[in-house]
Amino acid sequence: MSFFYNGNDDHTASPISDPFLDALVSLSSDDPTVFTGANALKNSDVFAAIRIIASDIASSPISSSNVTLQNLLNLKPNNLMDAWHFKFALVVNMLLNGNSFAEIIKDSNSKVSALNFIPNSEMTVTQDDSTGKLTYNYTPINRTKRLIAPESILHFRYFTQDGITGLSPLYALHDELKIQHLGNNMLSGFFANGIQGTGILKVHQTQLDKSAKKNIRDKFEDANSGSLRTIVLDDDMDYSTLEVNTDILKLVNSNDWSTRQIAKVFGLPPEKLGVENEHSSNEQSNLLYLQNTLGHYFDVFTSELAAKLTGSFEFNTDELLSVDPETQQSLAVKGIQGGILTINEAREKLGLNSVTGGDEIMASLNYTPLSNLVVYQDFKENKGAVTDETGQTVNN
């Protein structure tokens, strides 16, 4: 049983061969397993949503207990890509197709030496109906077809019904994208007709057949559409414009419903797609975005990495949580004063070098356990003498 296929068995070479652009793929039918090339990604809201999520994940370093793998994931996973574009391409494919793939390459000592990105157009995954075993069929363009063992493939998928097959968020946006497309076509058609919009051209003292009317209409529109131009008419012609209901155009132009739906499906705060959000501040929205959206995407990657590779993995989100320099410095000072950060830890967050003696936790004398206050009060009242547990005075 095959559950991923590219819908095109001839593997005609694409004019776009750059690995980064090959990652930009899009659904073109109601079937969530069918995709086309990068030229299908024409919706600006979808492009922006995927760009934001993919960029944020690609910009977040991955910490690992395995130093070799950490360097591969953060520096150069293979000979063709740097780490940023490698992670970006994986996220783009996962969001648009529901699945993304990378092959684990090992050296003669069975140690991981590279992670090769595989475009979805070159991968077909089959599952045996009786055993449930997965088979990854790799069909690179103009190269030899081969099978890859499941343990040698990093297979990332987010939304899934069976834990194996990933579904794209675009599958849930079929109707919304169609509505947005129709609205954009209405605006495009209006502006394409120039300032005249829809009008009536009357030709006096003659009977015109269908072909003649079409010919006069086409020539008139060709001469006067698109830009501010002076209309020149013969004596036997009159032109009048029909009133256009601009309220409809305003509604189409100001309607942000489909944009909000796209943001909702991808888990983005609406303001990241240019829609005003009246119910929360930017700080609250960014925190919710990190916790409720990026956190889940991070888990998709770290769980697959931990399952197929040796070591533990975690995304570093410091850059995503970074604030303006003044606020960042204030938080660092509060961390030192509260005994949470050492001086050097706070300086590291500010991008400063460590200093001698800066590795100790600082504590304020203004904070002390309540029991110490009793001893201190007795000390003051007895002028240097305090009592022990039995109430006997002990000279200090």
Side-chain angles (χ1 to χ4, degrees), residues 13-18:
S14 169
I16 300 175
S17 59
D18 180 76

Side-chain angles (χ1 to χ4, degrees), residues 148-184:
I148 302 178
E151 59 269 19
S152 297
I153 280 286
L154 293 172
H155 180 185
F156 302 102
R157 61 273 197 198
Y158 179 48
F159 189 92
T160 175
Q161 293 175 298
D162 56 10
I164 299 174
T165 312
L167 294 177
S168 169
L170 293 183
Y171 192 55
L173 290 170
H174 182 270
D175 294 336
E176 287 83 352
L177 293 177
K178 183 181 295 185
I179 292 173
Q180 189 180 64
H181 179 68
L182 292 174
N184 291 340

Side-chain angles (χ1 to χ4, degrees), residues 102-391:
E103 183 180 9
I104 303 170
I105 306 298
K106 295 184 178 180
D107 59 20
S108 57
N109 296 320
S110 298
K111 293 184 178 181
V112 179
S113 59
L115 299 171
N116 289 340
F117 169 75
I118 297 179
N120 287 43
S121 58
E122 300 178 1
M123 177 65 73
T124 303
V125 186
T126 58
Q127 184 179 27
D128 189 278
D129 291 328
S130 57
T131 65
K133 183 179 178 180
L134 297 178
T135 302
Y136 290 84
N137 302 278
Y138 179 35
T139 311
I141 298 175
N142 298 326
R143 286 183 289 167
T144 305
K145 180 189 300 185
R146 59 188 174 91
L147 299 180
I148 302 178
E151 59 269 19
S152 297
I153 280 286
L154 293 172
H155 180 185
F156 302 102
R157 61 273 197 198
Y158 179 48
F159 189 92
T160 175
Q161 293 175 298
D162 56 10
I164 299 174
T165 312
L167 294 177
S168 169
L170 293 183
Y171 192 55
L173 290 170
H174 182 270
D175 294 336
E176 287 83 352
L177 293 177
K178 183 181 295 185
I179 292 173
Q180 189 180 64
H181 179 68
L182 292 174
N184 291 340
N185 283 346
M186 180 183 293
L187 286 175
S188 177
F190 174 75
F191 290 111
N193 289 329
I195 61 171
Q196 286 77 31
T198 302
I200 299 175
L201 179 65
K202 291 182 180 181
V203 181
H204 302 289
Q205 300 177 351
T206 185
Q207 294 292 329
L208 301 175
D209 58 19
K210 184 177 180 180
S211 176
K213 290 178 181 179
K214 182 179 184 303
N215 186 45
I216 293 175
R217 180 193 303 112
D218 291 344
K219 289 185 176 180
F220 180 82
E221 290 179 351
D222 181 62
N224 298 285
S225 64
S227 61
L228 299 175
R229 304 183 69 177
T230 302
I231 298 176
V232 179
L233 299 176
D234 293 333
D235 289 339
D236 60 348
M237 289 184 178
D238 286 328
Y239 178 79
S240 61
T241 59
L242 293 177
E243 183 178 353
V244 178
N245 189 348
T246 56
D247 290 339
I248 297 178
L249 298 176
K250 290 178 181 178
L251 175 63
V252 173
N253 195 34
S254 63
N255 183 22
D256 58 16
W257 177 79
S258 58
T259 301
R260 288 183 180 274
Q261 295 302 108
I262 292 172
K264 179 181 70 174
V265 167
F266 282 100
L268 286 173
E271 59 266 26
K272 285 190 175 292
L273 296 184
V275 178
E276 185 177 356
N277 188 358
E278 300 176 355
H279 303 292
S280 61
S281 64
N282 287 336
E283 291 77 11
Q284 291 173 327
S285 294
N286 287 334
L287 183 58
L288 291 174
Y289 165 61
L290 178 59
Q291 294 175 341
N292 299 336
T293 300
L294 284 184
H296 300 312
Y297 290 126
F298 289 156
D299 290 341
V300 168
F301 278 81
T302 55
S303 61
E304 179 71 4
L305 291 172
K308 301 290 180 67
L309 303 174
T310 303
S312 58
F313 301 88
E314 182 179 5
F315 278 86
N316 186 325
T317 60
D318 286 349
E319 184 174 341
L320 296 175
L321 291 173
S322 62
V323 293
D324 60 273
E326 183 177 353
T327 303
Q328 193 173 13
Q329 183 173 343
S330 176
L331 292 174
V333 172
K334 289 180 180 179
I336 296 174
Q337 293 175 341
I340 299 175
L341 300 175
T342 65
I343 292 177
N344 284 339
E345 287 172 339
R347 290 177 63 86
E348 183 180 358
K349 289 183 176 296
L350 297 175
L352 302 175
N353 296 328
S354 60
V355 295
T356 304
D359 294 323
E360 284 192 79
I361 292 291
M362 308 297 289
S364 173
L365 293 176
N366 295 326
Y367 297 92
T368 185
L370 183 61
S371 57
N372 287 353
L373 294 179
V374 177
V375 175
Y376 178 70
Q377 189 65 28
D378 287 344
F379 179 81
K380 289 181 62 177
E381 292 179 354
N382 295 296
K383 297 181 179 180
V386 298
T387 57
D388 58 17
E389 294 83 353
T390 64

